[in-house]
Amino acid sequence: MDHINADLRFTGTRMSISANSAKLYNADLSRVSAVIPDLFAPEEILNVSGEASGNLADFIHFTNTSPIASKIDNLTIGATATGSAKLGLNLKLPLRHLDLSTLAGILAFNDNTITPVKPLPQLNRVRGKLSFTGTGISAKNISLQLLGGPASLS
């Protein structure tokens, strides 16, 4: 992460970081918040949330190089994409037990082309939102072109 414009605050035992803007893999980050509610709690929790906009290919790169990849069974390894997208992400990170971390997010497609790993076919004109957590993926009203014809995922 670079080009960070952020405020760091300590209030009692609470630590918070609020970033109005930053860059990660060429994606523009906004409304980023990182909070440890109690620095002296026996089990410190780091809550991170934020939004990103940029090339879908950059989001795939981020996913493939982060712990998120294993949480989605490496679904995006080898995939390529074109077009822009928006991401909203929430993470809950128990700092002494990172294996218990949780995540939730929404990825909004904006007329993207996605080429998954073969033998899956290329997806064209992908539009809509994909919700995900560490335990599943949900599609609502995603429209696309598949094998030359219209298709939808719900």
Side-chain angles (χ1 to χ4, degrees):
M1 191 180 309
D2 55 18
H3 297 91
I4 302 168
N5 177 15
D7 293 319
L8 170 64
R9 291 200 171 125
F10 292 93
T11 307
T13 61
R14 176 185 171 92
M15 182 199 77
S16 65
I17 301 170
S18 298
N20 295 324
S21 63
K23 292 279 242 187
L24 180 65
Y25 297 122
N26 296 317
D28 294 317
L29 306 182
S30 62
R31 299 180 193 167
V32 176
S33 170
V35 176
I36 299 176
D38 186 353
L39 288 166
F40 296 108
E43 301 292 331
E44 305 93 340
I45 305 280
L46 172 61
N47 297 303
V48 181
S49 64
E51 298 175 3
S53 59
N55 293 320
L56 183 56
D58 290 327
F59 293 130
I60 291 173
H61 177 71
F62 171 79
T63 300
N64 292 344
T65 58
S66 75
I68 295 169
S70 64
K71 294 216 178 251
I72 60 169
D73 293 327
N74 297 311
L75 178 67
T76 56
I77 300 292
T80 60
T82 62
S84 64
K86 291 186 179 184
L87 173 70
L89 187 62
N90 293 294
L91 303 168
K92 183 175 181 180
L93 307 166
L95 296 178
R96 295 178 191 263
H97 304 283
L98 289 175
D99 58 314
L100 300 176
S101 298
T102 60
L103 68 100
I106 297 175
L107 181 61
F109 299 104
N110 183 21
D111 203 26
N112 299 97
T113 297
I114 303 169
T115 306
V117 176
K118 293 190 183 234
L120 298 174
Q122 181 170 295
L123 312 173
N124 297 302
R125 302 190 57 107
V126 181
R127 295 180 182 167
K129 294 182 180 179
L130 183 73
S131 300
F132 59 90
T133 66
T135 58
I137 297 174
S138 169
K140 285 190 177 180
N141 300 321
I142 293 181
S143 65
L144 57 113
Q145 293 286 314
L146 177 65
L147 301 173
S152 64
L153 297 173
S154 290

